[in-house]
Structures are given as structure tokens and as C-alpha cells.
Amino acid sequence: MQTLSLAPWLVATPLIGAALLLLVGRRSDRWGHWFGVLASTATFVIGLVILLDMLGVDAAERVGVHTTASWIDVGPLSVDLGFQVDPLSMTFVMLISFVGSLIHLYSVAYMSHDRDRRRFFAYLNLFVAAMLLLVLADSYLLLFVGWEGVGLASYLLIGFWDHHLPNAVAGKKAFVMNRVGDMGLIAAMMFMLATFGGVDFLTVLGTAGAVDEGTATAIGLLLLLAACGKSAQLPLQAWLGDAMAGPTPVSALIHAATMVTAGVYLLVRSGPLLEAAPDAQLVIAVVGALTLLFGAIVGCAKDDIKKALAASTMSQIGYMMLAAGLGPVGYAFAIFHLLTHGFFKAGLFLGAGSVMHAMDDDVNMRRFGGLARLLPVTAITMGLGWLAILGVPPFSGFYSKDKIIEAAFVGEGWRPWVFGIVALVGAGITAYYMSRLFFMTFMGRRRWASELAGGAGRDGAADGTPVRHPHESPWLMTLPMVVLAIGSVGLGFVLNAGDRFVHWLEPVTGHAEHHEPVLPIWLIVTLTLVLVVLGAALAFVQYAVQRVPTTPPPASALVRAARVDLHQDDVNEGLVMLPGKVLTRSMVFADRTAVDAGWLGLAGGVGRLGGWLRGLQSGYVRQYAATTLGGLGVIVLVIWLVSGQGAS
């Protein structure tokens, strides 16, 4: 490929933008936000040039590595600063740069009243640069640099409004939980170096088939641990809902096109290694299946519009993880759904930001209702994203998520039945909670007071509800929403035609033989659509027809648990935090009473001995003479005894 040498600029362009905005400081406040948009857009243009060049060559020639320099050369470890350009990495490049640029544009208006807007755009550029480095790296070690860069940027963005304590705590929580997952990637690289003698993809993945199953399983499970941290999968999912503390564009960027997709990328990229570890693949599928149900159940009980979407992201990433655990038959479908999800979920988050903009930053859907006529563009674009995530034909989710459901029914024994039924049930629950979100926000009676109605409300709004002045967002916010809505409608159909996307990824994921599921495909599709219709209909009756109370009504134990994320924080506190406190306090006590006491006792003994010896240094000549004479006497006595002993 002639444009392979442009690959480093994909990372360098947004990185330069971030550095410039941070170094110039307040002097760039007037134009810094537009410079950030320009840096991200330029990255997309560079990626598009490389993509068009790649499309012009044969499939076998669509994999290339551009080595910029020798990075590490220490003993047996030799790692180059290389950028791998292939269909998988370029899929992520286009998603990150295109959706990221739209989010940058949206942020110009959304953050217009923030005095630190320039710094916010610097962090956005840093985030994009780190994510692009992650997906373009040609080795696990360079990938890890981008991996940690994404972690840093997410910490800075989630806690951007750190003057409010809960926001700072949320950023710290995301940072710490991701470090737990990072230990898995570090340990996996240690195994790779010991087993393969390197950490670059060519060395590790090219010879993965020759490694013994035990080692491959250990590496696969460690990679899964890393993926669970970044992609918010069980048991490292608790940070995702709290990440909503950041500005809404951050939520769109993290939850749609960047951070949470990194774990899925890592596992699909490591496909040849996972294929040598069937037990690890099974665990990946199980984690994905459990997480998709976990997130869906939590989403059903959330009244915070952003946290409901966060739970949705957790669930949809669970679908992708399930597909990745199915092996070669699921790799392409995982990335396919990741790509379409990037469009409709980013659009849904930006739509949520538009609703918040109209409702004075309120996020409680119980105080919304009837906004469709007042926010027509927001309602239509979010409606298209809603239909896409439901999997209603011909919207994009129908082609991508249903492929995963069909693949889940492929296999032998109990697996296709368990995974297939879980995927089906998840689709029905998704339809319910996403319809609940849409109907509570845009349909039904207004649950906010209007100034025109004397503050007493209209159309059944209760007294004492907040007075709102809902209005449509400016075009800088609605334009990105419209573009993402177009992708939500047509992207799935375009990529699915003739299995176009599956064939596109074959140079990386390999060719997967088609296997018939245990149920006929027409029956799987029918069951999925029936569950989707039932879930949406139930939500329509409850939240569009019936009156929605402005305060949460009494609920069952399951609903109460779902409102607090199924007690995930309590579980973490009981299993990890409290035992960790006990362990650290015990170690501190042992350190003070044993280690410190022993060394301090030794030091005290030496001090006392020194004090006694110091008493011998009196400064009197007669004492020194007497001591010398006494010592001489002792020596003579010893000699006499020894000589006498020898004579006898």
C-alpha cells in the first residue's frame, strides 16, 4: 500500500493538537476548540486516504506494518515502534476518527459556556490519539501504551468537573478499576515473552498454534481480565455508570467509539491465540452472556437517562464479548455490531445531552415527558437510534445484533441452547428498557411545569414540578446527531450486503466456515422480533399510556436491587475493599510490631553498648594506664596458662 507511511500521522495529528492546546494555555481559549475539531477531522481525512488506497488492492495485500524506529532492544526483548494497517485496525480508525470528529463538533456548542473548554478539547484530542495508537500498534507492548493513554484520558475527562466531589470520585473509580484489568495485560505479556520470546503480533499470533493449551489458556484468561476492565464486563463493570459524571460528549466518546470497545478489539486481535485455548474462549462467552443480562436488568430500573444508556452499553458490549468467545464464527460479527453500535449509541448519548440542554441539565426521566413536539430533531434522531438498537429491520442493529444471536445458536451440546436463549432474552429486555427510555422522555404527559401555565404545569403536570423552558439545541449539536442517525439507519444494510463486512475482515480474522444453527434462521429471526415487539409494547403501555409518577413507586426486591446496580458496589466493598483494608492494616501492624520493633531493638542495643563503651573514654591518664596494665596482666595470664597447658 502506497499510503502506509501515513499511518504514524493518524496518531501524531491529534497528539500534536492536544500538546499545543495544553502548552499554549489560556492564549488559545478563543480558538482552541476549533483547533481541536480540526485536528480530529484531519485524522479522519488521513484515515480515509489510507482506506481508499487499501480498497484498491487485493485482500491478501491489505495487511502491512510501517516501522518508524527501533523502540526497545534489551537482551532478548526487541520491540519496534511499528504501526499495523489492516482491515481490523482501519475499521477502528474510521470509527474513532469519524464519530470522534462529530463529537468534537457537538462539544463546541455543548461546552460553549465552560471557561475550560480549551482544556476539554485537549483531553478529547489526547483520548483520540491514545485510542488510535492502541488499535494501530503492531505489538502488545505498544498497544499497552495506547491502553494506558486511554485510561489517563478517561480519568481526566470523567473527572473534568472535579470541583464537584462525586465527579472526582467517579474519575478515580474508573482509573483504579481499570488498573486492576491492566495487571492482566501486563501478566499476559510476561507469559508471551517467556513463551514466544517476543510481544509483537507477528511473533505471538504467528506461532500461537504451536503453544501448549495450558499456556494459551493462561494468556487468554489474562487478556480477558484486561478486556473486562476496559470494556466494563463482569466483574470489573462497576465504574461504567459512575463515568456519567463527565460531560455528555465524554459519555458518547467513551461508550460508543473508543474506550469500552478496546477490550473487544484486544480479544479479536488475539484470535489465533484464543483458538488454541478453547476453555478461555468458553469463559469469554460466559462473561459476555452474563454481562449482557446484567446490564439489561440494570437498565430497566434506571431513571437517570445517561445511566440507563450506560447500562445499555454494558449489555451491548456483552453481546460483542459473547461473539468473540464463539471463535472465528463470531469475530466478524462482534466487530460488525461494534461498528453499528458506535453510531447509534453515540447518537443516543448526544441526544441525551440535547435533552439535558433543553431541561436545564436534569437527567431524571421521570421529570421529562411530552418533549417530542418541542425537540423534533432530537426526538427523531434518538428515535432512529432507538429502533436501531432494538434491532428493528431495516435499521443497522437488525443486521449486526441478530448475526450474533444466530451465531450463538451454532455449536454442539448445551452451549448453543444456553448462549442462544440468553441472547434472545437479552434482545427482549433491551427492547423494554430502551423503549422505556424513549417513551418516558418524548411521549406521554408532561411531567414538568411550564411558565405559560403559571408554573402549575399543563397536560396533567403535578404542582411543584420544576419549571422548564424546553427548546431545540443549536445546529452544531443537531448536525452530528443527524449524521449519526443516518448511519444508524443504513450502515448495517450497506455492510451486510453480500457478507461484505465479513469478507473485509477475513485477512485478519480468517475465513470461517458457515455452520447452521440448531434452530432454523427464520425461526430465530421471528422469535427475536416477537420478543422485541413484546418488550416495546410493554414499555409503551407503562410509560406512554399510563401516568408515570415523578417519584419511583414501591417496587419488588429485584427492581430495588437493579436501581443500585444489583449491589455491585456492595459486593466489591465486601469482597475486595474491606478485606484489602484488613490485609493492609494487618501488614502495617506486623511491620510496626515485628520488623520495626526488631530493627529498633537492635539499634537500641547498639546504642546502649556504645554508651557503655563511651564511659570508658574518661580522659584520665591514670585510668588509661590502669586499663593498659590490667590488659597486660590478662595477656600474661593467658600466655602462662597456654604454655603451662602445653608443658603438661
Side-chain angles (χ1 to χ4, degrees), residues 95-96 99-104 106-107 110 120 124 127-128 157-158 240 243-261 306 309-310 313 338 341-354 356 480-481 484:
L95 174 65
I96 295 163
V99 176
S101 296
L102 292 175
I103 293 171
H104 276 70
Y106 178 97
S107 302
Y110 191 87
F120 179 78
L124 287 183
F127 204 122
V128 170
L157 286 168
I158 293 171
L240 196 66
M244 297 301 97
T248 301
V250 175
S251 304
L253 192 63
I254 290 177
H255 291 73
T258 55
M259 183 168 174
V260 295
T261 64
K306 289 177 65 178
L309 289 173
T313 297
L338 185 152
H341 175 267
F343 277 79
F344 58 69
K345 184 53 63 67
L348 287 167
F349 266 112
L350 296 187
S354 180
M356 292 169 58
M481 292 159 56
L484 291 169

Side-chain angles (χ1 to χ4, degrees), residues 318-380:
Y319 271 105
M320 302 171 205
M321 296 286 283
L322 170 60
L326 297 176
V329 69
Y331 293 153
F333 299 150
I335 303 302
F336 188 13
H337 191 50
L338 185 152
L339 187 57
T340 59
H341 175 267
F343 277 79
F344 58 69
K345 184 53 63 67
L348 287 167
F349 266 112
L350 296 187
S354 180
V355 172
M356 292 169 58
H357 174 79
M359 301 298 283
D360 299 331
D361 288 330
D362 194 355
V363 294
N364 190 342
M365 294 184 292
R366 292 189 177 276
R367 295 197 289 261
F368 293 167
L371 292 175
R373 286 181 293 177
L374 299 172
L375 309 176
V377 178
T378 301
I380 292 172

Side-chain angles (χ1 to χ4, degrees), residues 500-513:
R500 182 177 291 138
F501 189 72
V502 173
H503 294 318
W504 162 254
L505 288 180
E506 280 183 353
V508 179
T509 60
H511 175 72
E513 294 295 332

Side-chain angles (χ1 to χ4, degrees), residues 229-253:
K230 274 291 183 287
S231 294
Q233 300 292 285
L234 290 169
L236 299 177
Q237 81 290 351
W239 65 270
L240 196 66
D242 296 79
M244 297 301 97
T248 301
V250 175
S251 304
L253 192 63

Side-chain angles (χ1 to χ4, degrees), residues 279-432:
D279 290 340
Q281 283 186 318
L282 176 60
V283 175
I284 293 170
V286 170
V287 168
L290 291 176
T291 307
L292 78 86
L293 288 180
F294 184 98
I297 292 171
V298 169
C300 292
K302 289 296 183 183
D303 295 329
D304 184 318
I305 187 171
K306 289 177 65 178
K307 289 192 175 183
L309 289 173
S312 170
T313 297
M314 186 190 306
S315 181
Q316 296 304 306
I317 298 294
Y319 271 105
M320 302 171 205
M321 296 286 283
L322 170 60
L326 297 176
V329 69
Y331 293 153
F333 299 150
I335 303 302
F336 188 13
H337 191 50
L338 185 152
L339 187 57
T340 59
H341 175 267
F343 277 79
F344 58 69
K345 184 53 63 67
L348 287 167
F349 266 112
L350 296 187
S354 180
V355 172
M356 292 169 58
H357 174 79
M359 301 298 283
D360 299 331
D361 288 330
D362 194 355
V363 294
N364 190 342
M365 294 184 292
R366 292 189 177 276
R367 295 197 289 261
F368 293 167
L371 292 175
R373 286 181 293 177
L374 299 172
L375 309 176
V377 178
T378 301
I380 292 172
T381 55
M382 285 194 73
L384 295 175
W386 162 60
L387 293 173
I389 196 172
L390 260 60
V392 175
F395 297 92
S396 59
F398 170 74
Y399 296 99
S400 59
K401 187 168 69 176
D402 279 36
K403 289 289 187 182
I404 296 177
I405 297 175
E406 292 172 17
F409 276 102
V410 173
E412 299 177 353
W414 59 269
R415 297 184 187 184
W417 295 105
V418 172
F419 292 145
I421 291 173
V422 167
L424 273 178
V425 172
I429 302 176
T430 298
Y432 173 77

Side-chain angles (χ1 to χ4, degrees), residues 434-524:
M434 288 304 303
S435 299
R436 175 181 181 270
L437 181 150
F438 185 78
F439 296 143
M440 286 183 75
T441 302
F442 295 106
M443 301 185 69
R445 300 174 182 270
R446 298 180 183 179
R447 297 180 296 279
W448 43 272
S450 170
E451 209 171 49
L452 297 176
R458 186 170 60 184
D459 295 334
D463 292 339
T465 54
V467 177
R468 304 296 189 201
H469 311 86
H471 55 283
E472 188 59 272
S473 300
W475 71 270
L476 281 175
M477 293 172 63
T478 57
L479 178 60
M481 292 159 56
V482 170
V483 174
L484 291 169
I486 294 173
S488 300
V489 174
L491 185 63
F493 174 78
V494 172
L495 296 180
N496 184 65
D499 288 333
R500 182 177 291 138
F501 189 72
V502 173
H503 294 318
W504 162 254
L505 288 180
E506 280 183 353
V508 179
T509 60
H511 175 72
E513 294 295 332
H514 177 73
H515 297 282
E516 291 295 331
V518 294
L519 292 177
I521 293 179
W522 67 266
L523 181 57
I524 296 174

